Amino acid sequence: NAREFEQAAPILAILHDAGYEAYFVGGAVRDYLLDLPIHDVDIATSAYPAEVQALFPRHFDVGIEHGTIMVWFEGETYEITTFRTESTYQDFRRPDKVTFVQNLEEDLLRRDFTINALAMTDQMTIVDYFDGKTDLKEEIIRAVGVPHDRFHEDGLRMMRGVRFASQLDFDIEDKTLLAIEENAAILEHIAVERITVEMNKLWIGKNWQKGLAYFLKSGLYLHVPVLSDYATSLQLLLDETEGEQALANAEFAWSLMFWRHFVQSGASDLQDSHKAIRQLGKAWKMSNQAVDDITAYFDIWHLRTSKASWDLADYYGKDPEKLLAVEGYMQDQVASGKSLFADLASSADPMKVQTEIDRLPIHSLKELAVNGRVIIAQINPDNKREIGLMLSFLEAAVLDLKVVNEEAALLTYLREHYQAN
Ligand code: ATP
Ligand code: MG
């Protein structure tokens, strides 16, 4: 996976030729050494932002207040950041103002963990001031410098630590973990959007159980919105599932937590869970789409585990991808012998779910070959209220296989069989 760096090497050359130092830094170097796919190749340089702008005419000034210029180069974008420190921290948050410095070591010193504080030259030589390579090899997450101080500078780093534990399946070094336990409350000063990003990455990591166990053990969960109410359910999830199996996406993961909580609390009203999901979404500043997805997954977990045999109609209106994700997860968990789905009345079988999905002529109203606009254009009922009724009528007829889902056939069927109310 050196290709990404070869592609970016000319950028370093341009900076060198202009008399500046420049290195690859951060996550890309870490992932390169771990032989993982490389996402963004970030560059650190001694050149000031204005000098970077002058050298790379095609740039965007996102993050310029932090010394970062986004450069467009041969079809890719790169973030080029001037060597800097973040000297004046207030309120445990990353500072708005930064101080530019002239050497790489000072820049690397401000980074969170030793594995993220590696740099690499265009000759692919690693620069390693803090023994990050050893920690990579030993699979350890260790704060750069004094952990306590580093978390006081920026509390989000604690969340990043548990996120990396999940993502990389690494252990957190003792002193670093102790400092997270002691400083967990600092998380309350951090903008929730930043916490959400890290939590969602934790959920989808390759060892989410390890990350979640740290998240619970360290007490971080007590200092993020809402989750203190869910500690028992989260612990149950850890105890009752096989962790080898990654979770499909963050919304899938959140829904699993809500469903486990629903079961464990003996609740019976789905509306209460829906409300709780909306509250989480609001408190964690998630998108409406994310809230809808969590709710949709939740409903599938619930119906799937409370109703032994599904009719074809049960599959209707549900997102096929979500149905299959749930069924696949159940199947693997049952096979692992863990207890989460031990009470499942029927066996979990994604193939069968796929067959049922395929049997449905349409999966939701959106797939109906006519919509309100077509009905207005072709039928134009006097009472506009009829439009919705007509669509429901056609939807039912298609699901009952009384008519095929094609525009002309649907319109004919409507004209011949629909009785205005
Ligand atoms: P990912 O694979 O998720 O992108 P990453 O390590 O690249 O992981 P980024 O958020 O892209 O994470 O940050 C790039 C680099 O910037 C990090 O590797 C680290 O060196 C530094 N960094 C990012 N956030 C912080 C922080 N809160 N405190 C200190 N250093 C940070
Ligand atoms: Mg990155």
Side-chain angles (χ1 to χ4, degrees):
N1 57 356
R3 217 199 75 238
E4 280 81 359
F5 296 102
E6 280 158 25
Q7 242 178 325
I11 300 178
L12 299 197
I14 289 167
L15 287 160
H16 291 159
D17 290 348
Y20 303 109
E21 282 185 58
Y23 301 86
F24 301 122
V25 287
V29 178
R30 176 196 71 221
D31 291 343
Y32 169 69
L33 292 174
L34 290 172
D35 208 14
L36 293 173
I38 310 288
H39 304 293
D40 334 279
V41 172
D42 295 331
I43 292 165
T45 181
S46 59
Y48 284 117
E51 297 164 331
V52 175
Q53 287 170 323
L55 285 172
F56 299 92
R58 305 188 63 190
H59 61 255
F60 318 90
D61 298 342
V62 294
I64 190 165
E65 67 282 8
H66 296 112
T68 301
I69 305 291
M70 172 104 82
V71 165
W72 182 256
F73 185 80
E74 292 183 354
E76 297 283 338
T77 56
Y78 298 91
E79 288 191 358
I80 305 184
T81 304
T82 304
F83 294 157
R84 61 171 213 227
T85 62
E86 298 175 346
S87 39
T88 50
Y89 294 89
Q90 279 173 353
D91 304 338
F92 317 110
R93 283 179 242 201
R94 257 165 130 184
D96 294 330
K97 290 262 184 308
V98 300
T99 312
F100 296 130
V101 293
Q102 270 313 300
N103 71 76
L104 174 68
E105 184 171 357
E106 263 188 273
D107 178 275
L108 295 177
L109 203 55
R110 67 149 170 109
R111 293 174 185 269
D112 48 6
F113 301 106
T114 60
I115 57 169
N116 290 343
L118 294 159
M120 188 164 76
T121 69
D122 53 354
Q123 304 301 308
M124 310 297 271
T125 304
I126 300 292
V127 184
D128 181 10
Y129 292 108
F130 312 105
D131 257 343
K133 258 163 62 171
T134 308
D135 287 338
L136 268 187
K137 199 171 300 157
E138 293 177 0
E139 309 195 331
I140 286 172
I141 294 166
R142 182 196 310 272
V144 172
V146 180
H148 177 89
D149 298 349
R150 307 317 311 281
F151 298 143
H152 268 251
E153 290 165 359
D154 179 0
L156 186 76
R157 290 170 183 163
M158 299 184 289
M159 276 305 292
R160 283 174 59 87
V162 296
R163 179 263 276 204
F164 284 117
S166 163
Q167 203 172 31
L168 302 173
D169 190 8
F170 280 20
D171 290 336
I172 302 179
E173 176 266 336
D174 288 349
K175 288 205 188 72
T176 304
L177 184 58
L178 191 66
I180 295 178
E181 288 165 8
E182 287 171 356
N183 294 294
I186 291 177
L187 213 50
E188 292 176 22
H189 298 267
I190 302 299
V192 69
E193 300 89 316
R194 297 175 74 204
I195 297 175
T196 306
V197 169
E198 299 304 327
M199 191 69 203
N200 285 344
K201 286 184 178 179
L202 186 161
W203 276 129
I204 60 169
K206 112 172 148 193
N207 193 343
W208 65 272
Q209 293 203 328
K210 181 176 275 185
L212 187 60
Y214 279 131
F215 179 72
L216 294 174
K217 175 172 185 283
S218 62
L220 285 171
Y221 75 98
L222 292 167
H223 305 285
V224 298
V226 180
L227 288 198
S228 58
D229 296 344
Y230 292 86
T232 311
S233 313
L234 290 170
Q235 187 59 51
L236 286 171
L237 271 189
L238 282 184
D239 299 340
E240 296 171 349
T241 57
E242 167 56 60
E244 289 280 294
Q245 211 202 342
L247 305 176
N249 53 59
E251 292 74 30
F252 178 98
W254 286 116
S255 72
L256 202 51
M257 178 188 86
F258 280 107
W259 172 70
R260 191 64 192 85
H261 184 77
F262 177 85
V263 173
Q264 178 246 334
S265 64
S268 56
D269 190 352
L270 291 184
Q271 294 309 318
D272 290 344
S273 294
H274 291 177
K275 201 169 137 204
I277 293 171
R278 280 198 302 277
Q279 276 165 353
L280 176 94
K282 195 157 181 237
W284 286 66
K285 298 204 177 157
M286 295 175 181
S287 66
N288 292 336
Q289 183 64 58
V291 170
D292 290 348
D293 286 344
I294 297 171
T295 308
Y297 276 120
F298 174 87
D299 288 350
I300 296 174
W301 291 119
H302 173 255
L303 192 63
R304 181 63 183 79
T305 50
S306 59
K307 189 174 177 193
S309 78
W310 277 30
D311 309 324
L312 194 55
D314 290 323
Y315 293 90
Y316 184 70
K318 298 187 178 66
D319 176 4
E321 211 178 299
K322 292 190 177 71
L323 287 168
L324 290 167
V326 164
E327 196 73 9
Y329 190 74
M330 283 184 169
Q331 187 186 41
D332 288 353
Q333 289 299 322
V334 170
S336 76
K338 290 287 184 135
S339 57
L340 185 59
F341 301 112
D343 297 337
L344 214 56
S346 59
S347 66
D349 184 357
M351 297 263 279
K352 174 165 175 283
V353 170
Q354 183 69 61
T355 307
E356 296 300 292
I357 291 169
D358 292 344
R359 271 177 60 202
L360 280 173
I362 54 172
H363 303 93
S364 71
L365 191 57
K366 271 187 296 202
E367 289 180 10
L368 197 68
V370 305
N371 56 24
R373 247 184 321 111
V374 174
I375 289 188
I376 292 175
Q378 300 294 328
I379 311 271
N380 199 23
D382 297 337
N383 185 350
K384 294 289 174 271
R385 218 178 56 95
E386 295 290 326
I387 296 169
L389 297 171
M390 288 177 173
L391 288 173
S392 304
F393 175 76
L394 289 177
E395 179 186 40
V398 168
L399 285 172
D400 285 344
L401 306 179
K402 288 182 181 149
V403 55
V404 292
N405 184 34
E406 287 164 9
E407 183 176 317
L410 290 174
L411 290 171
T412 304
Y413 187 83
L414 195 61
R415 290 192 178 100
E416 288 176 2
H417 298 281
Y418 183 75
Q419 312 264 317
N421 287 293

